[in-house]
Amino acid sequence: EDDPFEHLDFHAFGRFWRSMTSEMHQGVNQILSCPDTGQVRRAYLEDRALNLVALVLRRLNHLDAISYPLIGEDLDRIYQAGKIVARNLNNPPSVKTLARQVGLNRFKLNQGFHQVYGTTPFRYLRYCRLALAAHLLTNSDLAIEAVAHKVGYTSRSNFAIAFRQQFGLNPKAL
């Protein structure tokens, strides 16, 4: 039998998924968590899908406008910087320190983050924190306040606001 996934490029999908903006991730989560039924559901999903397509097209247009594509070693350094950010959620380095750690200047680091992750290093940090929080909320028995603290938030209310902005859901919903 033919494998239906045989021709899919999962690496390309992963690169695309990682390059999505927080708005795009929020749109996907809104589609996946739609509680409505019938015609209301259909209209809502159609609206969210069209919005997501518009965000993707805007993103592609933005990528075309970037005049200095990253290549080789610089691209590796951006991925290294992304790993450093993801591993230091509670005590992240400043942009200046991060740039120094990976051997880039601040401009190239910021530009690289926009090209690879679709956002700034700070927003990428925020996304990593909230993605880990969503994972912990769905796969552990930790209380919301404990999860917030574990991912670097000292205030439960600030955590809840950031979580709602990122995923369109309250942390309690998970």
Side-chain angles (χ1 to χ4, degrees):
E1 286 180 36
D2 287 334
D3 180 2
F5 301 108
E6 176 181 354
H7 302 291
L8 294 179
D9 183 353
F10 288 104
H11 294 293
F13 176 78
R15 283 190 307 273
F16 174 74
W17 185 258
R18 286 188 305 274
S19 73
M20 287 175 55
T21 64
S22 60
E23 281 182 300
M24 290 178 198
H25 282 284
Q26 185 176 1
V28 169
N29 286 320
Q30 288 170 341
I31 288 170
L32 294 175
S33 65
C34 176
D36 298 317
T37 59
Q39 291 292 68
V40 172
R41 178 182 177 85
R42 181 182 171 91
Y44 177 81
L45 292 176
E46 186 176 303
D47 176 70
R48 296 292 81 210
L50 289 172
N51 185 58
L52 190 56
V53 167
L55 290 170
V56 169
L57 291 174
R58 196 174 315 135
R59 173 85 176 113
L60 291 174
N61 187 40
H62 170 72
L63 289 176
D64 287 344
I66 295 172
S67 57
Y68 302 105
L70 290 172
I71 55 171
E73 199 173 293
D74 286 345
L75 187 58
D76 292 340
R77 290 175 179 179
I78 296 299
Y79 283 118
Q80 180 185 1
K83 288 176 185 174
I84 291 170
V85 169
R87 289 183 186 137
N88 294 287
L89 299 180
N90 286 324
N91 192 20
S94 68
V95 173
K96 182 179 178 181
T97 302
L98 182 62
R100 202 173 324 126
Q101 285 178 334
V102 297
L104 295 172
N105 62 44
R106 288 175 57 179
F107 175 78
K108 198 155 218 171
L109 180 72
N110 281 313
Q111 180 188 33
F113 258 81
H114 273 283
Q115 288 182 38
V116 172
Y117 299 109
T119 191
T120 65
F122 178 77
R123 285 193 178 148
Y124 181 72
L125 167 67
R126 183 176 182 256
Y127 172 77
C128 289
R129 284 177 167 170
L130 295 171
L132 176 59
H135 175 78
L136 291 172
L137 289 169
T138 56
N139 296 306
S140 76
D141 293 329
L142 292 173
I144 293 172
E145 196 163 337
V147 169
H149 182 71
K150 190 168 185 77
V151 299
Y153 283 86
T154 55
S155 161
R156 180 182 170 163
S157 62
N158 287 345
F159 168 71
I161 290 167
F163 196 90
R164 264 192 310 278
Q165 287 173 343
Q166 182 71 39
F167 299 114
L169 298 169
N170 239 340
K172 283 185 182 180
L174 299 180

